[in-house]
Amino acid sequence: MNSAPLSGLYSPSLSLLTDLYQVTMAYGYWQQGLQDREAVFHLYFRKAPFQGGYAVAAGLAYAVDYLQNLRFSEDDLAYLGSLKSSKGAAMFPAEFLQYLRELKFTCDVDAIAEGTVVFGNEPLIRVQGPLLQAQLVETALLTLVNFQTLIATKASRIREAAGSDTVLEFGLRRAQGVDGGLGASRAAYLGGADATSNVLAGQRFGIPVKGTHAHSWVMAFEDEETAFAAYAKAFPDDSVFLVDTYDTLEGVRHAIKVAREMRAQGHELGGIRLDSGDLAYLSREARALLNEAGFESVRIVASNDLEENLITSLKQQGAKIDTWGIGTQLVTAYDQPALGGVYKLAALRKPDDSGWDFTIKLSEQLAKTSIPGILQVRRYETDKGQPRADMLYNVAETLPEQLTLVDPLDATRRRAVRPEAPFRELLEPIFRRGELVHTLPTLPESRAHAHREVLSLDPSIRRFLNPHTYPVGLEESLNTFRTKLILEKRPVRLG
């Protein structure tokens, strides 16, 4: 797989994959002569999803493909030219449309690699360049990164619950449309699923495809045994029988009878699937029947609205399930269907080009107050590579010799950093002046990276219930500067 593994997926352009206000702001910047003023934006989320302790970064490959193909086609411009103001006049003048016709993406983009574990307030993507361009890509980057990060994180939690068992993603029929299905299958595989039922995702991304048959297959034949035998004839070495169309345990017995016939012809039944009922009880009973009949290697696949907490419960109940089919709960992130990522302006080049004006967005809630500066994420690790703490700092300022991390929500919580502590910088150069300078890993490489990253976290951070909070702090001088900006920008109210 080459450095642009999604090339053509969003070709020739998705320049109109945006909110109208991005285009109206772009026009306003152009009208005011601000279109080329250098700006810095950060894309991040504030809180890990699913009440968990971490997230798995995903969607960067989609974002790269989008940015590489960013241009306004004649159809795009004709549509924008057709939009009218409330008074009936053209919303965008011809001169601005001509500017968009000639527009070429020239920003620098730095990003955290897909599969990396990330935490609240950490920039997943940093965009630096002309204000108009950096503003224009906000909505598309958010929709591409938010969704895949959410699904990859959900998949990693399911993988945590399933342990070494096989995890199959087959939620396409319940996904939020075509792109929701494709993006979810890709992100689920990155996050830890072993295969997908989504054939188009298999073709586009090289994900292994797996599947069984539906209840309708059984219902299309005179009886269950005949249906199984017909399926075995079609797929003698790849059969998994869905056994709960009428009576689950009787279905297992029918599967065993056909499996004996298959074995006599030199083939083996691959597995049976349970899709309803008490999965713990039925899987134990099915396992006993299969083992007694000499089919110890036949896998038991389970489905039916499974997710990480139910998988954990079934394992605690002694369920004899070795393959988990996950659909709706995974591809829709059913218990939290949005990540809530944001994209905030953090710096503007001074008009006289003498330095930066750092910007901040205030809120009544400190958690929603943005962090000014041109941010980098430094991850401190143990000598064995286990993450210890992350530091956000401003690359436009010189770091002091003695570094201290300050909790952005509680300035009294501080952590000194040993000068010799090993670390790595998480944001890597992806584009420079609009040109791709980074060779993207393949999807299997990102998947392997995600697996290593999640396992490197302490189990207390990975647990589902009340996970430990991983330390993410602002470098002390950045925290001091942020506090100063807050006090300068917030009006003093008299009681």
Side-chain angles (χ1 to χ4, degrees), residues 12-16 71-82 97 100:
S13 171
L14 281 182
S15 59
L16 297 189
R71 64 186 62 86
F72 286 87
S73 70
E74 291 304 317
D75 287 344
D76 296 336
L77 296 168
Y79 174 72
L80 292 177
S82 73
L97 297 180
L100 294 182

Side-chain angles (χ1 to χ4, degrees), residues 210-482:
K210 298 288 184 181
T212 59
H213 62 74
H215 294 103
S216 56
W217 173 269
V218 176
M219 296 161 65
F221 290 84
E222 182 179 352
D223 56 55
E224 194 169 49
E225 186 178 326
T226 303
F228 292 165
Y231 200 78
K233 184 177 180 179
F235 301 99
D237 299 305
D238 297 284
S239 283
V240 176
F241 299 152
L242 180 56
V243 297
D244 70 339
T245 305
Y246 304 119
D247 180 288
T248 300
L249 296 182
E250 192 63 23
V252 176
R253 295 183 181 96
H254 290 153
I256 289 171
K257 185 174 181 180
V258 175
R260 289 195 177 106
E261 297 169 358
M262 294 171 66
R263 179 172 286 176
Q265 298 172 19
H267 305 290
E268 290 292 328
L269 176 62
I272 62 168
R273 178 159 72 97
L274 310 174
D275 190 50
S276 61
D278 187 331
L279 295 179
Y281 166 76
L282 291 172
S283 67
R284 291 195 301 266
E285 293 298 308
R287 184 78 272 161
L289 289 170
L290 289 165
N291 289 355
E292 184 180 359
F295 292 100
E296 293 88 349
S297 63
V298 170
R299 303 189 313 276
I300 296 180
V301 184
S303 50
N304 190 24
D305 279 337
L306 297 173
E307 42 77 44
E308 63 269 35
N309 296 297
L310 184 51
I311 292 172
T312 300
S313 175
L314 287 168
K315 281 180 167 288
Q316 290 171 346
Q317 296 173 60
K320 299 299 182 181
I321 297 166
D322 44 48
T323 301
W324 305 88
I326 319 294
T328 306
Q329 296 283 340
L330 172 54
V331 302
T332 67
Y334 196 82
D335 48 338
Q336 185 183 323
L339 179 65
V342 295
Y343 186 85
K344 297 299 181 185
L345 177 66
L348 283 167
R349 181 72 69 176
K350 291 180 182 292
D352 62 3
D353 201 30
S354 62
W356 293 96
D357 286 325
F358 297 115
T359 61
I360 191 168
K361 182 264 180 187
L362 298 182
S363 171
E364 295 298 321
Q365 300 169 269
L366 185 57
K368 288 191 174 183
T369 297
S370 66
I371 301 170
I374 305 174
L375 302 182
Q376 173 62 278
V377 183
R378 178 175 292 184
R379 176 156 296 166
Y380 288 98
E381 301 175 328
T382 66
D383 294 335
K384 296 182 179 180
Q386 184 179 31
R388 296 190 61 190
D390 289 2
M391 179 180 77
L392 276 60
Y393 70 95
N394 185 0
V395 299
E397 302 291 342
T398 302
L399 286 175
E401 290 187 12
Q402 176 56 54
L403 295 174
T404 301
L405 280 62
V406 181
D407 187 326
L409 299 180
D410 183 355
T412 65
R413 293 169 58 89
R414 296 170 177 246
R415 177 188 293 249
V417 178
R418 292 183 295 108
E420 70 277 10
F423 65 85
R424 57 188 169 110
E425 310 284 17
L426 297 189
L427 286 164
E428 304 173 321
I430 307 297
F431 287 90
R432 285 296 177 263
R433 296 192 59 80
E435 298 296 326
L436 185 64
V437 297
H438 182 79
T439 300
L440 291 176
T442 65
L443 182 56
E445 288 170 342
S446 294
R447 181 176 184 270
H449 176 58
H451 182 67
R452 292 190 300 269
E453 283 277 300
V454 173
L455 287 183
S456 73
L457 293 175
D458 189 89
S460 66
I461 299 169
R462 305 200 310 260
R463 69 189 179 213
F464 303 148
L465 185 62
N466 297 322
H468 181 75
T469 300
Y470 178 83
V472 177
L474 305 184
E475 186 273 317
E476 186 175 22
S477 63
L478 174 59
N479 182 72
T480 300
F481 177 69
R482 182 189 187 217

Side-chain angles (χ1 to χ4, degrees), residues 18-31 80 83 91-92 96 100 132 135-136:
T18 190
D19 294 304
L20 179 62
Y21 74 71
Q22 307 291 5
V23 187
T24 58
M25 284 191 290
Y27 171 58
Y29 293 143
W30 176 82
Q31 187 186 63
L80 292 177
L83 298 180
M91 184 173 289
F92 303 111
F96 177 64
L100 294 182
L132 183 150
Q135 180 75 70
L136 199 59

Side-chain angles (χ1 to χ4, degrees), residues 6 37-38 71 109 127 154 162 176 270 343 378 412 474:
L6 302 182
R37 187 176 181 186
E38 190 174 9
R71 64 186 62 86
V109 178
V127 179
K154 186 68 171 178
Q176 316 292 23
Y343 186 85
R378 178 175 292 184
T412 65
L474 305 184

